[in-house]
Every structure is written in C-alpha cells, then in structure tokens.
Amino acid sequence: MSATTSPADSSTATGGPTTTTTPTTSTSTAAATVTNAIVKTVEAIISSTAPAASQSPSPSPSGFSTPTQSPTSSSTPTTTASMGGPEEKLSVQDLSQTLQHFGVVDYLVFIAMLAVCAVIGVYFGFIEKKQKAKKKGQLAGKDGAGAAGVEERRGSEALDYLVGGRQMKVFPVALSLVASFVSGISLLGTSTEIYVYGTQYAFILVTLAISGAISWYIFLPVFCNLQLTSTYEYFQLRYGAGIRNLGAVLFIVDTTIWLPLCMYIPAITYSQVTGTGIYVITPIVCIICTFYTCVGGLKAVIWSDVIQSFVMFGSILVVCIKGTSDVGGLAVVLQRNEESGRLNAPEWTWDPTVRLSMLSVIVGGTLHKIQSSDVNQISIQRFLSLPSYEHAKRCMQVFTLLLIFLLSCCCYMGLVSYAVYHECDPISTKLAKASDQLPSLLMMRTLGSMPGLPGLFVAGVFSAALSSLSTGLNSLACVLTQDIVQPLLKKPLTERQTACWLRGIVVGFGFSCIGMVKIVEKLGNVVPLATTVGAVSMGPLLGIYGMGVGLPWVKGKSVMVGSLVSFLVLAWICINAQLGQMNGEIRYPKMPVSVEGCDYSFDNATVFQAIHDYSPSERNLYHLSFFWYTAFGGVICTVFSLLASLFFGWEDLSQMDPALITPCMRRFLPKKNYQAVKMQDLFKRKECHAETEINS
C-alpha cells in the first residue's frame, strides 16, 4: 500500500500525535459517534464566521518570514519598535492559531467533495442495479433465457463488485490507480523529503517509467490473460495452496495496519488548519468512504477516485503556482534552492548504506515500484476491470505518465517550501510540530486569505486518503472472500452469500479504522511499524511474483523456504533500522536551514539543538537504503529458493501451463502438439465430462 510513500514519513511523522490534544469520550455506538462529530463540525463552521476582532493583533501570514533582528536567547516574547510603540512578538502557539483560516466557503468545498463521493455510491449501489435488472428482464422477454443468462454471467455479484464487470474505461482506471497509490502520507511526505534532503528523491521519477515498462512486458500479459479476481489465486495455480495463503496473509496484515494510518495523517492536517480535533472529522470521513465502497463496489471506488484525483491535482497546482508567485517567480525558487545545495543528485557510489545513491534509486527504486505500484492485488484488480490486455497496456501508460506528473508537482512543492521558509525554518522552531505538517503550513501561508482554497487543499489531502482507504477496503474484501473464506467452505458461495460477505468485510474494516485511528494517535510510532511491515512483506512477494512468471523450474516448496528466509532477514534489518531511527541512533545528513529571518518568538534551546547539535551517525548495516529493502528481499527469496531446489528438486516443465509463464520465457517449455477444436465440440466435451462426474 505504500506505493509512493516518501522516505521522510518513517522518520518524521512519529511526532504527529503531539499536534492534537483534544480529548474525547468513547461512545458506545457508531451512531452516537457520528452525531457527536456532526455537532462539533457544525459548531466549528459557526465559530469560523465570528468576527476576527476578538483575536489578538498579529502580522499577516504572508509577512512572518520577513527578515528582522534575530530572536533573543530566551523563550519569552521579545519586543520590536513599531509606529505605535513597542509590540510584543507572537509566540509559536499564537502564530499557529492566527494562521488557521478555514471559513464557511472552505467547509462547503470540503463537504461538497464528500457529498459527491456519497452520491456516486448511491448511483452504482442502487440506481444502476435497478437499470441492470430492468435490462435483464427485457432481454429475457425478448431473446429468451440465453441472452439473459449471458448478461447475468457478465454481471455476477463478485465480478461486478470486485472488477466492475470487466467493462471499465482506460482513463478512469488510470486516474484511480494514481489516486490509490498517492496516499495522503505521500502527498505530504514527498515535498517534506525534498525540503529536508534535497532533490535526490526526485530521481525516483525515472524509475516509474522503467518499472512501468517492465510490468507492461513481463507481468501484465500473464495476469490479464488468466482473468483472475485475486492475484493470490495465481500463487495456487503456480505453486500451491501454501504460497497462496502466505501471500494473502502478508497482504491482509500490511493493509490492515496501513488503512488507519492513511486516515490519521490527513486528520492531523485538518486539525492544524481548522483547530478542531481529529476525532471530529475521522468518523464522518470513514463512514462516508465505507458507505460508497460498500454499496457501489469497484465502480463506485474508481469513479470516486476520478473526482478525488482532480481535487488532488488542483490543490497541489494551486499551492505551487501561488507559492511561486509569492516568492517572486520560478527563478527565485531555483536560485534559493541552488544556494542551499538542495538541487542535488544521488551519490555515485556502490555503498548500499548511503541513504540515496544512484544505484539504489535506479535499481532498488525500480524493483520497489514494480512491487508496490504495478504488481500487487490493488493494481492488478484494477487492470482486470478493463475489457482486454490491450486496454490494460494503454492504462499502464496513462497511469505512469499521470503518476510522474503528480509526484513531480509534489517534489516542486518541496522546492517552493524552502524558497518561502529559507530564512525561518518552521520545523526547527516547532511551528510545524512534525515535518509532514510543512505542506499544510505552506498552504495556510499562501492560500489562507483566499476563501475556498484552504478547503480545496484539505479536500485534496483527504481525497488521497479516501482513495487509499476505499481501494484497501475493496481489495481486502476480495482477498478475504476469494483466498480465505471460499477455500475453507465445502460448498461454493451463492451470489447472495458472496454479496453479504463482501459488504460485511468492507463495513467491518471500515468501522474498525475509526477505532484504530485512536490507537495510532496514542502510540505515535505506528508510521515506522507500517513502513517496516510494508518493506518486510513486499520483498518476499517480489521474489514470489518474479519466480512465478520468470523461473518455471522452481517448485512451491522451494519458494516457501526462500520466502520465509527473506521475511526473517528483512524483519531483522527493518526492525533494527526503525528502532535506531526512533532512538536517534541513525541520523542522515540534512540540508542546511536558517532561523535568522523569523519575526516570532521561539525556544532557542530547541532550535539550537535541532540545527547545531544534529550530526549524521556512522553508517552500518542498519543504514541500508530504504530503496534496497524490497530489492534485497526479492534477491534473498530467489537465491534461497534456488538453493532449496537442490534439495526439493525442480518442477516438471512438461506439466507446466504456459499461461502461467511470461511470454518471453515460454520458449524454455517443452513444445506441445495442439489440436484445433471447434467451440461447439469443446462445449459438448465439457458437458459430457460434467455428466460423467455427476453420475460417478
């Protein structure tokens, strides 16, 4: 799920819980929670219309980084000369409150986005179903049971709910893929990564094109031709039930931890902009997302993602354009970043412990993106919603281009952030309590005085969260139903039972996110946990997918050994690396910052510690670049699987189904003599075979 997660997320977002201190009381029912949240939201809207005269005088948001004399060595407010006499400087807390510009128009923009998503769910969940039922009745009356039967098979419950009846269009699916893999964490974390470490991470844009081409040539032909609903069904066809269960469990655990985190980070942004607690907005957004995902299925998810994609693109572009204009143009943005050394490239070195080397970005980043964005349950499920392989190829191309454009905008927003705050770093002064709050702080400064635009930005961040949440819920319903529930049952599920299971899973996990957000807020260290689980699971899965389509000689038992070894080694490295970052034992070099231009008071001891006492730590194995995690796991899985094959033996290629192998590797399979058979004769043979099984 962390397809485009910025690496800054795992080390900076852990301070997020300090941003919200609004207490809440636990409710006994979901209805009471929703009612309380709606009441608080209405109160916030009413209070936002109150006259601003009651607020303490403050400088305009656009002027608080104007160069003035440096702050004194104490944390108490100092005074400066002004026309009316000495004026007390605002503290960090007071300035943060004055930057909260979220009025009625902003609330209306945000509510409109949620309302449109709910309406989409109503349409595909109720209106379209009635239209399809009416159409099926007309076909039955006009052409008899034959045409109606074909239409019923095409529109079966599981097929329609999980892959949209395989009748979706290319551009909406491509937009849905972008919205699904650019979560709220990625949207906020990518620009923070550029601000803190420079443009090294931007070279990941090159790997998006490379990984898209590899997936288009190697993996898509296999999965599109098999037309499976769950990618883990492929594991059973290729390896056996054991690997299928392993892959499904890894996906379920990873997604379950990831979903509440996707909601928590945008909720912090909402709290920072509006001043209300995260428990006000989280229940409302989770329930709306659960509703349209539950009743509308994949169609509602995809078309909601389309709306949310446009909101995301619009919000990022508005911040980038307005921020560039405020600092004096593109030339000023590039000049200030060049002077600070932020226009940097990855290091040319073979050392895998360097945070971002050219080798880790190009090779490691490509393998990471193949697994995280192109070859997993979420992406394959969307590719299979298209009518044919040709449509899937076009979708992959459009998806890659749109993803490159959106992440380019996020990277540029990081450059704009430094151009705005080049003389007053809000992270060091704790104006931004966590690094990932920097984009929302930039938005409040640049767009705060323009009604509706703060609402657009918050709607954009929540759009990324909603798309990730709805996608995760739909895919969880698919995997749990197809890979866990059905294999345990003696009889296949009926259409009605399938519908109940799918919707029940969506509702269950959707409502659990409300409670799990509270756990995330209390623990504070779930971001490293989610990052670790994602890295540990993606490494073995990359090896399983790669050997499945590319190495037909490897057996399932050998792959199980390789997967377990890869999982354990990666878990050991990732857990120790995350603990080292949390304890401050692993510190990477950062770009220089300054607070000389700040005109508000702050704690100089905190700033001195953040800027002058910080130094990079000595590198060791646990400094392994985060881009190497997935690649390292895939290589370990492959190597140990091949070694295990010396003990378990090799696969009998004469029994291998060529459809399970990528086309470029089918030349190594034994040639088989095929006989041309008419479709009518084939159906007769199948009917005779079925009658024989029934009689026996």
Side-chain angles (χ1 to χ4, degrees), residues 470-486:
S470 61
T471 297
L473 292 175
N474 187 265
S475 296
L476 275 174
C478 175
V479 172
L480 279 168
T481 304
Q482 302 294 323
D483 299 313
I484 304 298
V485 176
Q486 286 194 357

Side-chain angles (χ1 to χ4, degrees), residues 292-407:
Y292 73 74
T293 305
C294 174
V295 300
L298 187 70
K299 290 182 179 179
V301 171
I302 287 179
W303 284 107
S304 297
D305 288 348
V306 171
I307 303 299
Q308 292 156 6
S309 297
F310 283 112
V311 175
M312 277 195 299
F313 279 102
S315 61
I316 297 298
L317 287 174
V318 167
V319 173
C320 290
I321 295 173
K322 182 64 166 56
T324 302
S325 175
D326 288 347
V327 300
L330 177 61
V332 177
V333 173
L334 297 178
Q335 178 187 357
R336 291 179 179 177
N337 281 276
E338 184 179 9
E339 291 174 352
S340 68
R342 277 173 169 77
L343 300 183
N344 55 347
E347 298 183 32
W348 291 90
T349 178
W350 293 95
D351 188 352
T353 63
V354 173
R355 187 175 185 273
L356 286 176
S357 67
M358 190 64 72
L359 190 65
S360 67
V361 172
I362 301 300
V363 178
T366 297
L367 295 176
H368 171 74
K369 291 301 177 183
I370 288 175
Q371 175 56 38
S372 63
S373 301
D374 301 330
V375 185
N376 56 38
Q377 173 62 32
I378 293 175
S379 58
I380 294 298
Q381 192 175 337
R382 273 154 181 71
F383 288 129
L384 294 180
S385 69
L386 297 164
S388 67
Y389 172 52
E390 295 300 323
H391 290 82
K393 289 196 296 185
R394 292 200 296 269
C395 181
M396 174 65 79
Q397 296 169 355
V398 177
F399 163 54
T400 302
L401 293 175
L402 291 175
L403 187 59
I404 290 175
F405 176 72
L406 182 59
L407 290 182

Side-chain angles (χ1 to χ4, degrees), residues 2 254 368 530-540 570 574 626 629-630 633:
S2 55
D254 184 19
H368 171 74
T531 304
T532 302
V533 173
V536 168
S537 63
M538 283 192 292
L570 273 184
C574 293
F626 50 86
Y629 287 157
T630 303

Side-chain angles (χ1 to χ4, degrees), residues 1-7 9 180-183 185-186 201 254-255 258 261-262 368-369 371-373 376 378 468 527 530-535 537-538 630:
M1 295 292 296
S2 55
T4 53
T5 303
S6 167
D9 304 333
S180 300
F181 289 105
V182 180
S183 65
I185 303 175
S186 303
Y201 184 76
D254 184 19
T255 307
W258 181 252
L261 192 62
C262 288
H368 171 74
K369 291 301 177 183
Q371 175 56 38
S372 63
S373 301
N376 56 38
I378 293 175
S468 299
V527 174
T531 304
T532 302
V533 173
S537 63
M538 283 192 292
T630 303

Side-chain angles (χ1 to χ4, degrees), residues 418-485:
Y418 180 75
V420 171
Y421 295 113
H422 71 291
E423 291 185 331
C424 186
D425 176 38
I427 300 176
S428 300
T429 62
K430 298 303 178 182
L431 182 61
K433 293 182 175 62
S435 297
D436 289 331
Q437 294 183 6
L438 182 64
S440 57
L441 194 65
L442 174 68
M443 181 277 299
M444 291 189 292
R445 175 191 170 110
T446 57
L447 306 178
S449 60
M450 306 174 69
L453 293 186
L456 177 65
F457 180 82
V458 174
V461 175
F462 264 102
S463 293
L466 282 170
S467 61
S468 299
L469 180 60
S470 61
T471 297
L473 292 175
N474 187 265
S475 296
L476 275 174
C478 175
V479 172
L480 279 168
T481 304
Q482 302 294 323
D483 299 313
I484 304 298
V485 176

